[in-house]
Amino acid sequence: MGKAHFGLIGLGVMGENLVLNAERNGFSSVVYNRTYAKTEEFLAGRGAGKDIVGAATLEEFVAALERPRRILMMVKAGDPVDATIASISPLLEEGDLLIDGGNSLYTDTERRAAELESKSFGYIGMGVSGGAKGALEGPSMMPGGTKAAYDAIESLVTKMAAQVEDGPCVTYIGPGGAGHFVKTVHNGIEYGIEQILAEAYDLMKRIAGLDGDAMADVLGGWNQTEELASFLVEITEVCLRTKDPETGGDLVELIVDAAGQKGTGLWTVVSALEMGVPVPTIYAALNARVLSSLRSERMAAEAVLYAPDPHSFPLGEPATGMAALRDACILACIASYGQGMALLQEASKLHDYNLDFSAIGQIWKGGCIIRARLLQRIQDAYGADPSLPNLMLDPWFAAQVNQRLAGLRQVVAGAALAGIPVPCLSSTLDYIDSYRTGRLPQNLVQAMRDCFGSHTYERTDRPGAFHTEWLA
Ligand code: NAP
């Protein structure tokens, strides 16, 4: 066999599926895994009969690749990426390309890119979304690095990516850590949508008294609409319909109510706070996961802190798609995407990423976890106005907000009276109400800051910085 077109390091769930994807698309491959037994197992199993060879050492791996080498690392994010780079970089030659396809922190990617580019290697930090199935069949990919490095992998990634009607779900994102930053924000949006659907489930169960199948029917209907048709709504329907084989009841009711996280949601929120971009819907989703993990504390508190009297309120009828609840979920999803896009805009300015927001909408339309029909509208909105300050100001999205705000208000008010937490829905309502308010009460905050700390304030009637001796 001649030299392989493509090399993969890390035969975890993602790596295994990505190399099968590359091979299926005509790229002969060589694989390396720290634990060689996993390589042997893969080659004897899913890799058997494919144009894929295994390497027991990194020396063998590097020697088996055509030049310039194109190497994708799919190892655990953090120290394992640095360890892998440290082991392989002495073996690389000028022009070779390393791609980190894991969920790395974008500032780590900036650092690694600077180090490797100074040695004349190409370095790409590439977000990959789609889970195991997406990795195999076609994920959405967000590669960042130099344009020259992207050009060297373009033929590979455009074939491997999911394909939608207007092209592959991959594009050059921008320099340095741009690709990993966009993937981080993608995951933050994902946190938001997952929590929104969990809140809808809780209300349908506790207020409307629906069982799993009835809720799944509602979700199935939502998945037919332009505003909510999406992968996450589709899998929520499946989760709600699935029965436990032992008891025959809804499986979801047997699952412990404590959600995990691996860091990307946290990084989204931390970056947003650092950059001064409000992302309350995404923040609420992260907080909800953190609070859910205090399970034993919550169970103890249930006996001490009383719930209000049962209180019912209209969510809409299941047969007609729970109209108020659907409106609330639509606006909260729009808010998640909008807050994520606003964060990308700020990061683009701050780091000179020169992001193309319309193109980001396009590559999220297929393959990834947040793929949704709504992304066509997002692509169009930023295509029409690349510097749109907020998605809600696009005419189509503004009409959605104006049409559906009453439903969101009704659901949040009802949930508050019933004592049912809806952190993403209520944060969205606050976000929209704050964003559409020309005069907020922060004039009083400024007065207090000047009163206790002489921080000064600006006046509405003339320019300048003013101080008052409030306590004199
Ligand atoms: P993973 O469980 O995160 O990582 C497994 C791989 O990392 C194995 O090949 C393992 O080698 C290697 N590894 C761990 N520590 C190492 C070290 N110190 N030095 C060298 N190699 C080391 O696998 P994954 O779920 O496929 O994820 C890979 C990356 O993609 C992660 O960054 C993940 O966050 C990201 N990602 C995952 C998904 C998903 O759905 N799973 C989706 C998108 C992105 P050994 O076999 O020797 O332990």
Side-chain angles (χ1 to χ4, degrees):
M1 170 186 166
K3 302 255 183 190
H5 299 311
F6 170 65
L8 175 108
I9 300 178
L11 284 168
V13 180
M14 294 297 283
E16 196 174 294
N17 285 293
L18 283 167
V19 76
L20 290 169
N21 176 336
E23 193 269 352
R24 189 186 67 241
N25 281 295
F27 297 92
S28 59
S29 305
V30 53
V31 294
Y32 170 84
N33 194 73
R34 180 182 60 167
T35 310
Y36 185 57
K38 215 184 251 182
T39 307
E40 291 181 307
E41 197 184 311
F42 171 71
L43 292 173
R46 295 179 76 201
K50 305 275 194 308
D51 201 355
I52 303 176
V53 294
T57 64
L58 280 174
E59 286 77 5
E60 259 182 53
F61 174 78
V62 165
L65 278 164
E66 70 178 15
R67 292 198 56 207
R69 301 180 177 91
R70 290 178 293 190
I71 300 169
L72 174 62
M73 295 182 290
M74 287 307 293
V75 299
K76 231 181 242 313
D79 291 342
V81 177
D82 286 311
T84 306
I85 292 172
S87 308
I88 198 165
S89 50
L91 308 172
L92 298 180
E93 293 169 272
E94 193 175 330
D96 286 350
L97 257 155
L98 260 184
I99 310 162
D100 170 16
N103 280 338
S104 289
L105 180 61
Y106 79 105
T107 46
D108 284 347
T109 304
E110 304 271 357
R111 168 180 56 79
R112 291 167 186 148
E115 278 167 21
L116 285 157
E117 282 159 13
S118 72
K119 295 178 183 166
S120 305
F121 307 141
Y123 192 75
I124 300 246
M126 182 169 78
V128 179
S129 177
K133 196 164 185 283
L136 180 65
E137 294 173 2
S140 173
M141 295 193 267
M142 295 147 252
T146 63
K147 181 68 169 59
Y150 175 74
D151 289 342
I153 63 159
E154 188 174 28
S155 62
L156 174 76
V157 290
T158 49
K159 287 209 179 74
M160 288 175 69
Q163 310 290 324
V164 289
E165 63 289 347
D166 52 356
C169 292
V170 62
T171 189
Y172 173 61
I173 298 289
H180 276 142
F181 190 77
V182 170
K183 172 63 177 9
T184 295
V185 174
H186 163 288
N187 285 22
I189 295 169
E190 178 186 320
Y191 272 50
I193 298 171
E194 286 165 1
Q195 174 65 23
I196 291 159
L197 294 173
E199 290 171 21
Y201 148 76
D202 207 20
L203 292 173
M204 284 193 281
K205 184 172 74 169
R206 293 213 267 163
I207 297 297
L210 303 191
D211 66 10
D213 283 328
M215 289 187 263
D217 288 344
V218 171
L219 270 287
W222 288 2
N223 202 31
Q224 303 303 314
T225 64
E226 177 184 7
E227 296 83 359
L228 284 173
S230 60
F231 173 69
L232 284 169
V233 168
E234 184 187 319
I235 64 163
T236 305
E237 179 188 354
V238 171
C239 293
L240 289 170
R241 220 182 272 291
T242 301
K243 303 287 175 261
D244 172 48
E246 282 173 38
T247 62
D250 294 330
L251 177 58
V252 78
E253 299 309 327
L254 295 172
I255 296 177
V256 172
D257 57 337
Q261 51 155 326
K262 282 189 175 170
T264 43
L266 175 69
W267 298 341
T268 304
V269 170
V270 169
S271 307
L273 293 174
E274 283 172 352
M275 292 181 203
V277 179
V279 294
T281 307
I282 296 172
Y283 192 2
L286 176 70
N287 241 348
R289 287 197 191 189
V290 174
L291 215 148
S292 80
S293 68
L294 307 179
R295 187 161 177 258
S296 52
E297 251 181 270
R298 287 189 286 112
M299 288 166 90
E302 197 172 30
V304 180
L305 306 171
Y306 304 132
D309 289 335
H311 176 95
S312 187
F313 59 94
L315 292 170
E317 291 304 315
T320 49
M322 317 287 282
L325 184 60
R326 186 192 57 217
D327 286 350
C329 289
I330 291 171
L331 291 192
C333 288
I334 289 174
S336 288
Y337 284 109
Q339 291 164 19
M341 295 309 275
L343 177 54
L344 290 181
Q345 279 176 311
E346 192 55 33
S348 186
K349 278 186 236 156
L350 196 67
H351 297 295
D352 291 325
Y353 284 158
N354 198 20
L355 298 179
D356 179 338
F357 308 106
S358 182
I360 291 169
Q362 192 273 333
I363 65 165
W364 285 349
K365 285 194 301 187
C368 70
I369 305 298
I370 61 168
R371 62 186 184 262
R373 211 181 293 170
L374 197 63
L375 280 157
Q376 182 62 54
R377 294 283 184 179
I378 295 175
Q379 183 184 345
D380 294 346
Y382 288 100
D385 180 0
S387 55
L388 189 66
N390 190 299
L391 192 57
M392 291 189 294
L393 298 179
D394 168 81
W396 187 85
F397 285 97
Q400 291 289 317
V401 172
N402 289 330
Q403 182 193 331
R404 302 185 192 281
L405 198 51
L408 174 62
R409 216 176 278 296
Q410 179 180 318
V411 170
V412 171
L417 289 172
I420 295 178
V422 285
C424 274
L425 298 182
S426 59
S427 299
T428 299
L429 182 59
D430 280 340
Y431 175 68
I432 296 173
D433 277 338
S434 295
Y435 192 72
R436 58 154 198 84
T437 297
R439 182 161 171 83
L440 288 167
Q442 271 62 32
N443 47 329
L444 180 58
V445 173
Q446 288 298 81
M448 287 185 265
R449 293 179 66 233
D450 187 54
C451 176
F452 67 71
S454 302
H455 292 295
T456 74
Y457 55 88
E458 290 177 292
R459 294 179 59 104
T460 56
D461 54 356
R462 53 186 189 271
F466 296 87
H467 170 64
T468 297
E469 289 300 322
W470 301 88
L471 301 176

